[in-house]
């Protein structure tokens, strides 16, 4: 797509569009009505042709517009983009050119004047922004400006910008430009370049293909309220803050009440780990406990009592659990609290605490105690990860695998006890960083190998953890869960050497037959889930 840009001053939006080339759009020409406009030199530096068509004394609006059209003659363009072009355009220009866009520094129809920033501050609004709109004729038959028609064309897109206490017009103007217009204008141009825009001029409405596409619209707006300024980020040299979304009803560490007053607040890493721990124990209906370290489970278990679940989770890897996060899916009782304070932990997360439990936990001065309230349903459907320059958004992995989903692929059938361990292991493994391998016995972890770049190395790590770190349990006769298929049989061979008796994995490798053959050779049972459970963040 070729663009004709028109500006009267610096044309920073046009230059931003030129630099970003949204949708492959290129500026064919930049025209100004001021021969001294700085945009001319900036455009020439970028190799963009320029034209200057200043107003002449006594020249009418329509006469000037005819000369502007003459200036654009010879250039091919599909869209006209205005940027601080200080002339109201009439039908003389608009009827002779393709669609013309303009960006206005407010959320139209609010503050349509030429001091939108000052007007927003004077009005005391907490949010303003910018609007990219289709330019329509704002003149009468004689070419006189009709004020009510200025900036009244169909809206293509808008970008909200907060107004902060202490803002003056200059500060707000910069924020609207760099955080609002620099996002909105390229977005609108890209939509036009992609052929995604439909304009109904009679109805005064613009529609964008995909702009209401379920969970993943063409444009996504998020907002958050700062809930806490954190001591620092992942490392002491990084500043950090916590932002909250108060529309989320699901039990969350963001909205949790910290019960032990006087203890230091949670750090960036504490929040991250506590969130991972809470999400893990939400997988289970039975009493469950998990210990998380650096967003990975050091151990997890379910049992008839919460105290037993915690004990079994801890004994998977008590050394790694030092300084970890504990999550419980039941109200914490005194017996469980007594076990928790027996070794150093940073945070406990639970849906409530008995008075006796709080008394025990309160003995540890800086053990942060979080009450997330009733766990209820998992209602937050999306997860997102910030990237430099953008965000990844995906559906949350809420997939539950049942016995009916499992395909037995080996000669040996798994026992009922092994099937129970397989399903426990699978739902715990969803919360282990990939490549991930988990050994389970009953409904407790035995060894976990996480975050390896080789799947066989993840098996080796899980075996080392089971052999060297687990207390009172080992891998002999245990079940192995793998978050993705085995590309080669070496992972199965290494598991057999560790004593693994059964395997649950997604299947789907070109070498599935070799993995099945290896399992049969070692008289192991193996099932396929048909789905994988990668966790990369």
């Amino acid at each position: 797509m070729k663009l004709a840009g028109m500006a009267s001053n610096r044309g920073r939006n046009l230059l931003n569009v030129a630099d970003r080339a949204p949708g492959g759009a290129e500026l064919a020409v930049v025209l100004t009505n001021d021969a001294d406009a700085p945009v001319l030199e900036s455009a020439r530096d970028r190799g963009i042709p320029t034209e200057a068509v200043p107003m002449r004394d006594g020249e009418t609006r329509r006469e000037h517009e005819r000369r502007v059209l003459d200036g654009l003659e010879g250039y091919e363009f599909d869209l006209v983009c205005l940027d601080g072009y200080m002339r109201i355009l009439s039908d003389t220009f608009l009827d002779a050119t393709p669609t013309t866009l303009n960006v206005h520094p407010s959320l139209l129809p609010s503050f349509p004047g030429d001091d939108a920033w000052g007007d927003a501050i004077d009005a005391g609004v907490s949010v303003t922004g910018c609007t990219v709109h289709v330019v329509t004729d704002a003149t009468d038959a004689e070419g006189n400006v009709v004020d009510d028609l200025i900036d009244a064309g169909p809206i293509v897109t808008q970008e909200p910008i907060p107004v902060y206490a202490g803002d003056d017009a200059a500060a707000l103007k910069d924020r609207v430009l760099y955080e609002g217009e620099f996002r909105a204008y390229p977005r609108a141009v890209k939509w036009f370049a992609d052929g995604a825009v439909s304009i109904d001029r009679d109805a005064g409405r613009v529609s964008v293909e995909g702009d209401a596409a379920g969970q993943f619209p063409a444009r996504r707006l998020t907002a958050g309220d700062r809930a806490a300024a954190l001591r620092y980020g992942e490392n002491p040299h990084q500043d950090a803050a916590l932002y909250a979304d108060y529309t989320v009803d699901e039990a969350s560490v963001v909205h949790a009440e910290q019960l032990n007053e006087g203890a230091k607040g949670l750090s960036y890493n504490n929040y991250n780990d506590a969130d991972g721990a809470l999400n893990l124990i939400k997988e289970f209906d039975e009493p469950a406990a998990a210990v998380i370290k650096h967003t990975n489970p050091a151990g997890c278990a379910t049992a008839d009592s919460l105290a037993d679940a915690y004990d079994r989770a801890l004994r998977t890897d008590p050394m790694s659990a030092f300084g970890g996060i504990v999550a419980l899916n039941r109200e914490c009782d005194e017996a469980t609290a007594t076990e928790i304070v027996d070794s150093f932990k940073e945070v406990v997360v639970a849906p409530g605490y008995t008075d006796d439990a709080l008394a025990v936990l309160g003995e540890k001065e800086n053990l942060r105690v979080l009450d997330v309230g009733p766990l209820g349903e998992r209602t937050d459907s999306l997860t997102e990860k910030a990237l430099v320059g953008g965000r990844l958004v995906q559906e949350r992995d809420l997939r539950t695998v049942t016995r009916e989903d499992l395909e037995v692929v080996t000669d040996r059938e798994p026992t009922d006890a092994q099937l129970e361990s397989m399903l426990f292991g699978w739902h715990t493994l969803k919360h282990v960083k990939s490549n991930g391998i988990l050994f389970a016995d009953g409904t407790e972890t035995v060894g976990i190998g996480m975050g390896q770049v080789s799947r066989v190395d993840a098996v080796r790590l899980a075996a080392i953890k089971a052999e060297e770190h687990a207390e009172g349990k080992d891998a002999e006769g245990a079940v192995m869960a793998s978050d993705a298929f085995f590309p080669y049989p070496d992972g199965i061979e290494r598991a057999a050497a560790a004593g693994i008796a059964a395997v649950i994995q997604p299947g789907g490798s070109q070498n599935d037959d070799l993995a099945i053959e290896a399992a049969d050779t070692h008289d192991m049972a193996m099932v396929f889930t048909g789905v994988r459970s990668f966790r990369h963040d």
Side-chain angles (χ1 to χ4, degrees):
M1 172 171 274
K2 301 293 185 182
L3 310 176
M6 296 170 59
S8 298
N9 194 4
R10 285 183 283 179
R12 288 177 291 185
N13 274 301
L14 295 183
L15 301 176
N16 181 52
V17 167
D19 293 341
R20 296 183 181 278
E26 298 178 353
L27 277 163
V29 60
V30 169
L31 181 144
T32 178
N33 57 1
D34 184 344
D36 297 322
V39 70
L40 293 172
E41 183 178 355
S42 299
R44 292 180 193 127
D45 289 344
R46 290 166 170 77
I48 302 170
T50 62
E51 299 286 343
V53 186
M55 285 281 292
R56 294 171 178 168
D57 290 342
E59 189 173 36
T60 68
R61 184 181 311 279
R62 297 185 189 282
E63 288 170 344
H64 180 251
E65 288 180 7
R66 292 188 187 100
R67 288 200 301 114
V68 170
L69 292 171
D70 290 341
L72 294 176
E73 190 173 355
Y75 297 101
E76 294 185 2
F77 54 92
D78 311 290
L79 187 69
V80 179
C81 293
L82 307 184
D83 179 19
Y85 185 71
M86 303 306 292
R87 291 292 296 171
I88 299 297
L89 295 171
S90 74
D91 55 358
T92 298
F93 178 88
L94 297 172
D95 289 350
T97 55
T99 298
T100 298
L101 300 182
N102 186 36
V103 60
H104 182 78
S106 76
L107 298 176
L108 292 172
S110 296
F111 315 127
D114 57 8
D115 185 20
W117 316 279
D119 292 343
I121 290 173
D122 290 344
V125 298
S126 60
V127 176
T128 185
C130 68
T131 302
V132 179
H133 64 93
V134 176
V135 178
T136 52
D137 187 6
T139 64
D140 60 19
E142 286 74 37
N144 300 312
V145 173
V146 180
D147 289 341
D148 290 345
L149 298 180
I150 298 174
D151 296 328
I155 292 172
V156 179
T157 188
Q158 295 180 302
E159 190 72 21
I161 296 296
V163 181
Y164 298 135
D167 270 344
D168 59 18
L172 184 57
K173 180 178 180 179
D174 277 353
R175 191 180 309 119
V176 170
L177 173 65
Y178 292 111
E179 298 180 21
E181 296 174 20
F182 272 24
R183 290 175 183 162
Y185 221 153
R187 176 195 304 141
V189 170
K190 183 179 187 302
W191 285 345
F192 276 90
D194 292 344
V197 179
S198 299
I199 303 173
D200 186 338
R201 294 181 183 273
D202 292 334
R205 186 178 300 278
V206 171
S207 59
V208 179
E209 181 181 339
D211 203 25
Q215 297 184 96
F216 305 107
R219 182 176 64 118
R220 185 168 181 266
L221 293 178
T222 61
D225 300 306
R226 192 177 68 186
L230 305 181
R231 299 195 307 278
Y232 52 81
E234 285 181 294
N235 300 290
H237 62 274
Q238 296 170 269
D239 291 335
L242 172 71
Y243 285 82
D245 179 355
Y246 293 104
T247 67
V248 174
D249 295 326
E250 183 176 340
S252 162
V253 296
V254 173
H255 305 297
E257 181 183 1
Q258 185 169 333
L259 299 182
N260 49 338
E261 294 184 8
K264 61 185 178 181
L266 270 67
S267 70
Y268 180 100
N269 293 332
N270 290 157
Y271 272 111
N272 202 27
D273 289 346
D275 178 68
L278 178 59
N279 286 330
L280 170 52
I281 55 91
K282 287 178 181 178
E283 295 279 352
F284 304 107
D285 294 328
E286 305 80 9
V291 182
I292 296 286
K293 191 74 172 289
H294 303 312
T295 74
N296 276 302
C300 181
T302 67
D304 291 337
S305 74
L306 199 60
D308 282 347
Y310 173 76
D311 175 64
R312 296 175 186 182
L314 180 67
R315 287 191 294 107
T316 302
D317 192 353
M319 181 177 71
S320 296
F322 181 85
I325 309 290
V326 175
L328 312 170
N329 72 349
R330 294 287 195 279
E331 180 183 66
C332 181
D333 54 23
E334 182 181 11
T336 307
T338 301
E339 292 194 31
I340 291 172
V341 299
D342 192 48
S343 58
F344 172 56
K345 300 294 184 298
E346 290 272 8
V347 181
V348 182
V349 183
Y353 300 82
T354 66
D355 291 341
D356 290 339
L358 286 176
V360 172
L361 296 172
E363 295 173 1
K364 295 289 186 178
E365 182 179 357
N366 277 320
L367 173 65
R368 275 63 59 83
V369 180
L370 298 185
D371 185 350
V372 298
L375 297 186
E377 298 295 322
R378 293 180 290 178
T379 57
D380 211 11
S381 61
L382 299 178
T383 64
E384 57 183 278
K385 175 180 174 60
L387 304 179
V388 175
R391 306 188 76 78
L392 290 172
V393 181
Q394 66 172 343
E395 289 183 332
R396 194 170 169 192
D397 185 5
L398 300 177
R399 179 72 173 265
T400 298
V401 172
T402 67
R403 290 194 182 196
E404 289 71 28
D405 298 317
L406 304 181
E407 176 191 3
V408 179
V409 295
T410 49
D411 294 337
R412 174 173 287 278
E413 294 267 347
T415 65
D416 286 344
Q418 287 172 338
L419 287 170
E420 183 183 29
S421 288
M422 286 176 173
L423 294 176
F424 165 81
W426 182 262
H427 291 111
T428 303
L429 184 64
K430 285 169 56 179
H431 301 267
V432 174
K433 282 194 177 181
S434 188
N435 286 325
I437 292 290
L438 184 145
F439 294 175
D441 185 9
T443 58
E444 61 184 281
T445 50
V446 172
I448 304 172
M450 69 289 285
Q452 302 303 299
V453 294
S454 161
R455 188 154 302 278
V456 70
D457 284 346
V459 177
R460 290 192 181 103
L461 178 57
I464 290 171
K465 291 289 187 180
E467 293 165 8
E468 300 180 9
H469 293 195
E471 291 185 353
K473 47 186 173 182
D474 56 46
E476 189 64 38
V479 163
M480 177 174 72
S482 173
D483 63 359
F485 60 66
F486 288 94
Y488 300 102
D490 51 358
I492 303 296
E493 298 283 353
R494 183 63 186 83
I500 292 297
V503 178
I504 179 171
Q505 59 133 319
S509 169
Q510 292 181 346
N511 292 328
D512 274 348
D513 289 346
L514 298 179
I516 294 169
E517 181 180 352
D520 282 335
T521 298
H522 293 282
D523 197 27
M524 301 165 71
M526 186 159 66
V527 301
F528 287 175
T529 64
V531 294
R532 74 181 190 196
S533 63
F534 274 161
R535 179 188 154 222
H536 279 184
D537 56 4

